[in-house]
Amino acid sequence: QVQLVESGGGLVQAGGSLRLSCAASGRSFSGYAVGWFRQAPGKEREFVATTSWRGGLAYYADYSDSVKGRFTISRDNTKNTVYLQMNSLKPEDTATYYCAASNHWRATTEVLYNYWGQGTQVTVSS
């Protein structure tokens, strides 16, 4: 079992920044790829980014309002923590952000993730 706890969410003005953290406990965290997803009110949960087991690789969502170039995922296995640095935030980034652990690299669908955190709320005001 891997337990994941997100933190770092909050209220920020458009153009601002936040850094989310995903702290893990339990089984060896370094054996899993870790991804970030988000879910806005009334919408389905969507993939944001994922990082490889050792953190050397990162993959970002590529949809119309792309986070690539604004968000950076990283991990520190010595601290059992994965980060999501979010810059140039927009109101449409408002959502609950979840981290999740997977045995699969570059997994973009929820079913491929074995463990989930409870989420942290990010609200971006205009």
Side-chain angles (χ1 to χ4, degrees):
Q1 284 281 1
V2 174
Q3 292 79 43
L4 303 173
V5 178
E6 303 93 336
S7 62
L11 174 64
V12 63
Q13 289 188 332
S17 298
L18 283 173
R19 188 177 79 159
L20 306 183
S21 298
C22 172
S25 61
R27 291 182 62 182
S28 176
F29 180 58
S30 61
Y32 293 90
V34 175
W36 285 96
F37 288 75
R38 66 185 182 184
Q39 186 168 22
K43 296 187 178 181
E44 294 186 352
R45 190 154 52 184
E46 63 181 7
F47 168 76
V48 175
T50 184
T51 180
S52 59
W53 292 265
R54 292 186 175 85
L57 300 173
Y59 180 71
Y60 298 90
D62 187 19
Y63 37 75
S64 59
D65 185 18
S66 180
V67 300
K68 191 174 182 179
R70 298 189 297 122
F71 291 8
T72 303
I73 189 170
S74 62
R75 72 189 290 167
D76 184 343
N77 284 340
T78 65
K79 297 181 178 179
N80 283 349
T81 302
V82 173
Y83 305 97
L84 185 68
Q85 177 68 43
M86 306 187 296
N87 298 328
S88 302
L89 283 163
K90 305 175 182 180
E92 48 264 46
D93 294 317
T94 295
T96 301
Y97 284 72
Y98 300 88
C99 66
S102 174
N103 296 116
H104 304 275
W105 162 232
R106 286 187 70 167
T108 62
T109 55
E110 296 180 45
V111 294
L112 294 178
Y113 286 81
N114 309 87
Y115 306 102
W116 290 83
Q118 294 301 306
T120 185
Q121 178 66 39
V122 171
T123 303
V124 184
S125 63
S126 57

